[in-house]
Amino acid sequence: SLLQTAKAVKPADDVKLQELKNSTIPELFKIDKKIIVFTKYKDTLDYLESNLSGNDYDIFNMHGDLSLTKRQEIFLHFENSKKAILIATDVISEGLNLQRLASCIVHYELPWNPNRLEQRNGRVDRIGQLKDNVHIRTFVLDKTLDKDILDLLITKANNIREDRGYSAAYFGDEE
């Protein structure tokens, strides 16, 4: 019964996907022609890729199953594309300098650790960024696991701020 109900849900019914597709992506493309969308799970990456393709932009994906050579090839194609979205798991959230590739980030799924958000943001929001501002969007729907994770992340960020006197701008600004 549960499986039948789940199969009946179509992408057109997915409020989060429709918001990304019809509002956030067009808004961010007015700012920059390159957008990086972070997901937590490869299944979500595959879902987004299949439901965002067929538009006037290229879509690339990056996940942990790809070889280093293949990742470098994808980065090159993303960089050379006129208008593109790179959908990636946290495989690109550490140790990469992406500030010359994009200035717009979407956190489609939240990690459990606020430091992961800082690492994701830090790939793009760093010295050498070509744009004056980096634009970050975090997707959270009320009454979902996303909201519970956001509440937990805010609590952790506040604890870090209290313990250390500072916490990074995980959600895009100091507030």
Side-chain angles (χ1 to χ4, degrees):
S1 168
L2 182 59
L3 186 56
Q4 285 180 325
T5 302
K7 285 181 180 180
V9 177
K10 303 294 179 215
D13 302 322
D14 184 345
V15 176
K16 192 174 181 179
L17 172 66
Q18 295 307 315
E19 177 69 20
L20 177 68
K21 189 175 184 176
N22 299 321
S23 182
T24 303
I25 288 174
E27 171 197 343
L28 292 177
F29 271 143
K30 290 177 184 173
I31 297 166
D32 193 349
K33 297 302 181 197
K34 307 287 177 65
I35 301 169
I36 298 174
V37 176
F38 281 100
T39 68
K40 185 164 177 48
Y41 304 102
K42 185 175 180 305
D43 288 343
T44 306
L45 181 151
D46 294 338
Y47 172 75
L48 290 177
E49 183 177 28
S50 67
N51 285 288
L52 294 177
S53 51
N55 291 295
D56 67 336
Y57 48 83
D58 297 321
I59 296 195
F60 302 96
N61 73 62
M62 188 85 59
H63 52 83
D65 295 339
L66 299 174
S67 69
L68 183 57
T69 302
K70 183 65 175 170
R71 291 179 203 179
Q72 290 170 337
E73 181 181 311
I74 291 168
F75 280 131
L76 185 62
H77 290 306
F78 180 65
E79 182 177 16
N80 291 329
S81 179
K82 288 184 169 58
K83 188 176 180 183
I85 296 174
L86 173 62
I87 306 169
T89 63
D90 283 324
V91 72
I92 68 165
S93 69
E94 292 183 55
L96 294 172
N97 298 321
L98 306 177
Q99 70 270 29
R100 298 193 185 283
L101 297 181
S103 66
C104 296
I105 300 170
V106 175
H107 299 289
Y108 192 78
E109 291 173 318
L110 293 174
W112 288 95
N113 186 332
N115 292 327
R116 179 67 66 190
L117 282 175
E118 181 181 16
Q119 289 169 335
R120 289 175 174 182
N121 295 342
R123 300 308 93 219
V124 172
D125 188 11
R126 60 190 309 122
I127 294 172
Q129 173 54 247
L130 302 175
K131 303 277 185 173
D132 290 335
N133 295 298
V134 170
H135 298 269
I136 301 166
R137 301 294 182 269
T138 304
F139 271 72
V140 176
L141 299 177
D142 286 335
K143 300 178 185 174
T144 64
L145 180 60
D146 289 340
K147 179 67 168 85
D148 294 339
I149 294 171
L150 177 64
D151 292 342
L152 178 65
L153 289 170
I154 290 170
T155 299
K156 287 181 176 183
N158 287 336
N159 288 343
I160 292 168
R161 186 176 293 112
E162 287 175 22
D163 291 346
R164 307 229 184 250
Y166 166 82
S167 72
Y170 302 112
F171 307 106
D173 64 32
E174 298 302 323
E175 299 300 315

